């Protein structure tokens, strides 16, 4: 099982191959976990905008960064891990881009699931 918290810390903090893993395996893993928690892609896309506007530290302090207590606790941990290494606006932008990637993967999963079950036209 992937440790998204560690992937964020190293991917944002060190870059290079760590960042590649964060945006690849880490984004897919986060999308799957959040989907299983019932989080909608738009909630993560909105969170990306909050990070882009207010910063990672600000978003990590939100009482409910995403709907649902368990999901909020999980995402808050991810954001706190990222916030521990973000030192610049560019770092906040990297976190926001990662969240946007997660949201896009979640939307793809949702679209595929809807089409494969025959619901939703």
């Amino acid at each position: 099982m992937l440790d998204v918290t560690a992937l964020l810390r190293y991917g944002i903090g060190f870059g290079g191959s760590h960042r590649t893993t964060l945006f690849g395996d880490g984004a897919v893993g986060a999308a799957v976990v959040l989907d299983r928690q019932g989080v909608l892609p738009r909630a993560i896309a909105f969170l990306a905008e909050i990070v882009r506007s207010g910063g990672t530290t600000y978003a990590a302090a939100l009482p409910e960064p995403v709907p649902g207590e368990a999901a909020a606790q999980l995402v808050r941990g991810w954001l706190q891990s990222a916030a521990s290494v973000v030192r610049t606006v560019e770092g906040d932008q990297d976190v926001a881009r990662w969240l946007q990637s997660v949201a896009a993967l979640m939307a793809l999963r949702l679209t595929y699931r809807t089409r494969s079950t025959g619901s939703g036209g």
Side-chain angles (χ1 to χ4, degrees), residues 57-71:
T57 301
Y58 174 81
L62 292 171
E64 192 175 25
V66 295
E69 187 175 327

Side-chain angles (χ1 to χ4, degrees), residues 16 18 30 37 42-43 51 63 71 77 79 91-92 110 118:
H18 296 290
Q37 291 278 332
R42 67 179 177 229
V51 169
L79 291 170
D92 288 326
L110 183 61

